[in-house]
Amino acid sequence: MFDFMDMDFNSSDEVTTSGPYIPAVGDCMRCGMCVAGCPTFRLFAIEEETPRRRIRTISKILVENLAISADERLHLDNCLQCRACETVCPSKMAYGQLFDQAQAQLGIKPKGLAKPALRLIENKRWRKRIMPLLALYLKSGMRKPLAKTGFLKWLGLADAEAVLKQPALQAMASRYPTRVARRGCVALFTGCIAEAFDRDTLSSAIKLLNAIGYEVLVPPDQGCCGAIQQHNGQSAAGMIDQNIAVFNTLDVDAVLHCASGCGAMLGEYQSHDIAAAGDFRQRLADINDFLLKHWPDDLQLLPLDLKIAVHEPCSQRNVLKNPQTVYALLEKIPGLNVVPLADNQVCCGAGGSYMLTHPENAVQLRGLKYRAIKEAEADSVVSSNFGCAVFLATDAAPVAHPLSLLARQLPIHGFSD
Ligand code: SF4
Ligand code: SF4
């Protein structure tokens, strides 16, 4: 058992101990420091909806080999995987990993439509076949009549359908050369559905990277990061190995991700090939960090007289731990008034697939975020995670990636699309 008295509370970043220390379920001191910040505790205000109680349930599953009750299962599954609890825990509990291990041990079988949905994310060939049909449906004027029948609600797909945008059907090029003095070459992680549904962010990323002198490679054989599978008790090993193999063969300065949710997963890749996974993680960087670090002094953006509120995704705050980079990057746009959204430490409810599996909880949390957006009185909202942006966007107020805003203010036109 971890000894509480060995901890050095004077250290600023890393808590140190006097001896070897591996956080495990038994290390939870039940101190309750994680309780107030947990979004499900904010919703339900009961002990069962706290990280502390979930750790107890996880301990039963992983350590004590005890059966858990349906009620314990329900409260465990209500977790959004936001990992806010990790950031305040004096024992540095690896809550995210423990949760994934517990879900895997429980051996969840995806039910009903969840199964084909996971296959769709995993399998590029399926996506290629289904996207044109989806695009046809979205153009067909069938959406409103179908919604009225209640059929989508019955299928549990109403929330997902409501946020769908017209997908981009054309495949991305595999190479985007820069037209300014070349400083290097990077690879872009595009993941699964972002190529179709978040093409604007990816195109903006390429324009910005080209503008600062980097050639961009988009390897076509890459795939989903595996986060949704892993957080739903499925194995992501195949996807992890595939991405490691694809990116490790490239001669690039860095592998960049644009969505913080994917970035959080990629940064924690583990594989049977420990060295290969280490090589992959070593070259991995958040695109916001990369752009800020390599921004040339002579690249001035066009001014923009707007007030922008920044939504900080949980994956960016609690896992990547770099939300400040977005503010620093947006400062490069002269005239922009950038403010954080109030309550940025609370999850918006999107939570990867959570918005689909727990729509009632997700919508309640989104309501809190809508209030914060209204109070900010901003012209627009930005978020570095695609899932959050889709979930928070309304017809009246779209939520963009900060990269889209930056790319639109580039002074030179004609960068690759
Ligand atoms: S903050 Fe950490 S140690 Fe304290 S109750 Fe929560 S999980 Fe346990
Ligand atoms: S990950 Fe988020 S929702 Fe889950 S227990 Fe921790 S704070 Fe609560």
Side-chain angles (χ1 to χ4, degrees):
M1 174 75 74
F2 171 58
D3 187 348
F4 182 72
M5 300 309 291
D6 285 344
M7 291 174 68
D8 173 9
F9 284 102
N10 293 323
S11 75
S12 53
D13 292 316
E14 292 297 318
V15 174
T16 58
T17 67
S18 59
Y21 162 52
I22 303 166
V25 279
D27 292 334
C28 175
M29 301 176 291
R30 321 269 161 90
C31 68
M33 287 175 73
C34 54
V35 171
C38 173
T40 57
F41 182 72
R42 281 179 77 132
L43 285 184
F44 299 102
I46 54 172
E47 174 64 20
E48 288 79 358
E49 288 291 342
T50 63
R52 178 170 56 188
R53 182 59 71 87
R54 291 191 178 115
I55 291 276
R56 174 75 194 107
T57 305
I58 290 170
S59 173
K60 280 187 174 179
I61 299 164
L62 293 181
V63 182
E64 297 158 71
N65 213 10
L66 294 172
I68 60 165
S69 68
D71 213 38
E72 286 172 317
R73 180 63 194 267
L74 176 98
H75 296 302
L76 183 66
D77 285 350
N78 272 348
C79 171
L80 289 121
Q81 277 286 279
C82 72
R83 293 167 70 172
C85 45
E86 282 188 11
T87 64
V88 294
C89 176
S91 284
K92 296 274 176 189
M93 300 294 293
Y95 180 87
Q97 282 183 34
L98 295 171
F99 180 89
D100 287 348
Q101 284 171 23
Q103 294 288 37
Q105 181 125 331
L106 287 171
I108 306 165
K109 292 261 179 289
K111 289 187 197 126
L113 287 162
K115 202 172 175 180
L118 285 176
R119 281 289 302 275
L120 191 66
I121 288 172
E122 277 171 35
N123 193 313
K124 206 165 188 167
R125 271 180 302 176
W126 268 46
R127 287 203 300 279
K128 265 190 181 165
R129 282 187 209 141
I130 284 176
M131 284 305 164
L133 299 175
L134 191 59
L136 258 182
Y137 159 71
L138 292 173
K139 267 190 206 155
S140 70
M142 286 291 293
R143 296 182 79 170
K144 277 190 184 163
L146 195 64
K148 275 188 189 158
T149 63
F151 181 61
L152 289 170
K153 205 167 181 181
W154 180 73
L155 288 174
L157 286 177
D159 289 287
E161 199 272 353
V163 296
L164 276 184
K165 288 191 295 185
Q166 193 60 236
L169 297 179
Q170 202 184 354
M172 292 181 75
S174 57
R175 180 173 166 265
Y176 293 83
T178 178
R179 293 176 198 170
V180 301
R182 190 180 185 279
R183 295 164 70 193
C185 183
V186 294
L188 193 63
F189 179 81
T190 57
C192 50
I193 57 171
E195 269 198 53
F197 291 110
D198 197 22
R199 185 67 70 90
D200 182 58
T201 297
L202 299 176
S203 299
S204 300
I206 292 165
K207 282 179 194 167
L208 288 161
L209 289 163
N210 283 170
I212 68 167
Y214 282 87
E215 179 176 347
V216 182
L217 304 184
V218 183
D221 292 338
Q222 64 177 300
C224 175
C225 65
I228 287 189
Q229 287 79 2
Q230 186 159 299
H231 301 331
N232 283 284
Q234 306 296 299
S235 170
M239 283 163 270
I240 292 172
D241 287 342
Q242 163 87 357
N243 281 327
I244 289 175
V246 166
F247 284 98
N248 278 9
T249 55
L250 300 175
D251 181 18
V252 290
D253 302 303
V255 175
L256 304 177
H257 53 80
C258 303
S260 58
C262 302
M265 175 73 186
L266 297 170
E268 293 181 347
Y269 265 9
Q270 305 286 345
S271 166
H272 59 277
D273 188 340
I274 295 167
D279 291 346
F280 175 84
R281 292 195 307 266
Q282 202 172 20
R283 292 196 303 177
L284 190 68
D286 181 308
I287 189 163
N288 296 316
D289 290 336
F290 188 89
L291 286 170
L292 189 65
K293 187 173 171 195
H294 298 278
W295 197 274
D297 292 339
D298 59 353
L299 180 59
Q300 307 292 324
L301 297 180
L302 300 172
L304 189 62
D305 183 17
L306 286 181
K307 184 177 182 187
I308 299 294
V310 178
H311 164 256
E312 298 172 9
C314 301
S315 43
Q316 191 179 46
R317 280 180 65 89
N318 305 331
V319 186
L320 301 178
K321 295 185 168 57
N322 66 343
Q324 289 313 316
T325 311
V326 171
Y327 297 89
L329 262 183
L330 291 175
E331 270 177 23
K332 300 208 171 285
I333 303 178
L336 204 64
N337 178 9
V338 185
V339 296
L341 270 185
D343 263 356
N344 255 333
Q345 73 282 5
V346 182
C347 179
C348 67
S353 57
Y354 195 85
M355 59 177 136
L356 302 175
T357 56
H358 294 74
E360 285 176 13
N361 297 352
V363 165
Q364 277 195 65
L365 288 166
R366 183 171 63 181
L368 300 176
K369 214 51 84 177
Y370 280 162
R371 200 165 68 199
I373 290 172
K374 198 169 168 207
E375 282 166 6
E377 294 182 340
D379 298 293
S380 185
V381 179
V382 293
S383 171
S384 290
N385 193 40
F386 172 58
C388 307
V390 168
F391 188 57
L392 289 176
T394 62
D395 285 346
V399 179
H401 197 289
L403 297 181
S404 301
L405 206 60
L406 288 157
R408 282 202 289 271
Q409 299 314 112
L410 279 170
I412 313 156
H413 299 293
F415 290 110
S416 318
D417 269 319

